[in-house]
Amino acid sequence: MGLIHIELFTTLDLVAQAPGGPDEDPVGFPFGGWQVPMLDDFVGEQIGASYEGTDALLLGRRTYDIFAAYWPHQQEGEIARLFNSIPKYVASRGRPDLSWAGSTQLGPDLVAAVREIRERHEHVKVVGSLNLVQTLLREKLFDRLGLLVHPIVLGVGKKVFDGGAVPTNVTLLEPPVASPKGAVYLRYGLAEGTPGTGDMAAPDRGLGHTD
């Protein structure tokens, strides 16, 4: 069985809406393109490294349309060659234009379709696609969660955990790395079980007690 990787650009308050431009997802959101001023070599390197081994893309309709309008016209660069050569799976209730070579629309049973994709590929990458991400989080239908966290707070916008989160354990897969501008890349893996609880005042914690 393969792995499903969710990769998101996010702010410190976990807003992940429209990082790349004002036209990505503009309704009610005045900060489209918030990531652009903070792009640097570190961010580029992390993005490139995150796609190593990717053999399929799983995208929501909005992200697919953005990608399909741009990447088929790009021939240079490793990411362009990768995106144009691997299968693209689109989660949509509508009728997207699937003229981008290798594109397939998923059926109405999204959970079953994603599980089938996971069986077919080794490393499936989910980029952006916040509505789709909520379903994957709710169903715990992901294996890796990569967050490139930028040092700004927007206070408005669609968030990483925006209605799809359920109690979930994750584990840090590697030490965080940071850019000179303050962006931090966090890479987590899905872990078993649900979060536990405790009591900081319990005797074994040594709080609120004297010998």
Side-chain angles (χ1 to χ4, degrees):
M1 183 172 65
L3 303 177
I4 296 177
H5 304 249
I6 298 174
E7 292 286 339
L8 295 171
F9 305 132
T10 176
T11 65
L12 198 59
D13 54 338
L14 294 182
V15 172
Q17 183 172 352
D23 298 325
E24 284 187 0
D25 189 3
V27 177
F29 186 65
F31 295 108
W34 56 262
Q35 185 192 28
V36 176
M38 289 175 284
L39 291 175
D40 56 19
D41 290 342
F42 168 85
V43 172
E45 290 170 0
Q46 295 304 314
I47 293 172
S50 72
Y51 285 107
E52 291 181 4
T54 298
D55 59 352
L57 292 176
L58 172 58
L59 306 170
R61 169 69 180 270
R62 187 187 300 274
T63 301
Y64 174 81
D65 286 346
I66 293 170
F67 278 25
Y70 177 79
W71 288 110
H73 310 290
Q74 310 304 312
Q75 305 300 324
E76 301 298 326
E78 293 183 6
I79 291 182
R81 288 190 288 270
L82 175 68
F83 282 8
N84 288 323
S85 64
I86 62 177
K88 278 74 68 174
Y89 298 98
V90 189
S92 174
R93 296 185 180 91
R95 295 187 177 184
D97 178 0
L98 300 176
S99 57
W100 189 10
S103 298
T104 303
Q105 183 175 359
L106 300 181
D109 189 340
L110 178 61
V111 172
V114 172
R115 286 176 175 153
E116 194 278 330
I117 291 171
R118 186 196 246 168
E119 294 291 338
R120 189 185 308 170
H121 298 281
E122 293 186 6
H123 296 283
V124 180
K125 187 74 67 175
V126 182
V127 187
S129 308
L130 284 176
N131 290 337
L132 168 62
V133 165
Q134 301 314 304
T135 299
L136 301 180
L137 293 174
R138 184 168 51 250
E139 298 291 335
K140 295 189 179 181
L141 195 51
F142 70 98
D143 303 282
R144 301 287 185 267
L145 175 61
L147 301 176
L148 189 54
V149 183
H150 296 72
I152 57 170
V153 175
L154 297 181
V156 63
K158 299 174 183 177
K159 297 190 175 184
V160 175
F161 304 101
D162 205 5
V166 296
T168 304
N169 285 329
V170 296
T171 184
L172 190 66
L173 296 178
E174 58 191 35
V177 289
S179 78
K181 293 185 177 181
V184 179
Y185 182 56
L186 302 170
R187 188 166 177 262
Y188 296 101
L190 180 65
E192 294 183 357
T194 55
T197 61
D199 184 352
M200 292 299 290
D204 61 344
R205 290 297 183 187
L207 299 176
H209 299 274
T210 59
D211 294 335

